[in-house]
Amino acid sequence: MNTKFKIHKNDTVQVVAGKDKGKRGSVTRVVASKDAVIVSGLNIVKKTIKRRSQQEQGGIAEVEAPIHISNVAIVCKKCGPVRAGYKIDGDKKIRICKKCGEAL
């Protein structure tokens, strides 16, 4: 698990800014070097693919581009998009919803 961010892989997030504002998806990957996340089905861009061999075909492919982590909010089952906080539960550190206090 990535401890730098409060959003982890397989979290459900909602985009709060940008062209896909309001859409929800699951985090596929966290790109720590760019402070970004890749969300499945969102921020689709067209990318040109160069032909590598005679059999492989080049062309234009649609790929999911990274979204800056500040432009997505984690989704609580009760409240919807919220900010995440931490709570020490015994010897474990768990993420909680800032609105209702339930574990995320």
Side-chain angles (χ1 to χ4, degrees):
M1 284 180 113
N2 191 348
T3 55
K4 186 177 177 184
F5 302 116
K6 293 179 182 177
I7 295 174
H8 301 172
K9 187 177 177 180
N10 297 327
D11 282 344
T12 302
V13 293
Q14 181 170 331
V15 179
V16 294
K19 68 177 184 180
D20 290 324
K21 183 177 179 179
K23 294 182 183 175
R24 290 184 182 187
S26 179
V27 175
T28 310
R29 201 170 68 133
V30 177
V31 187
S33 60
K34 290 185 178 181
D35 294 349
V37 290
I38 295 177
V39 183
S40 61
L42 299 181
N43 201 24
I44 303 292
V45 295
K46 291 186 186 286
K47 184 178 180 183
T48 55
I49 305 296
K50 192 173 182 178
R51 192 166 144 171
R52 301 253 179 228
S53 65
Q54 291 283 29
Q55 292 81 23
E56 195 176 309
Q57 197 167 354
I60 299 169
E62 290 189 341
V63 294
E64 296 156 346
I67 304 172
H68 197 271
I69 206 144
S70 66
N71 294 333
V72 294
I74 194 163
V75 176
C76 175
K77 290 174 183 72
K78 280 185 182 177
C79 314
V82 292
R83 290 182 14 238
Y86 288 109
K87 185 171 100 177
I88 308 294
D89 187 35
D91 59 339
K92 289 186 177 178
K93 186 176 177 183
I94 58 170
R95 293 179 300 158
I96 60 163
C97 168
K98 286 276 193 171
K99 282 186 182 175
C100 65
E102 201 162 298
L104 294 172

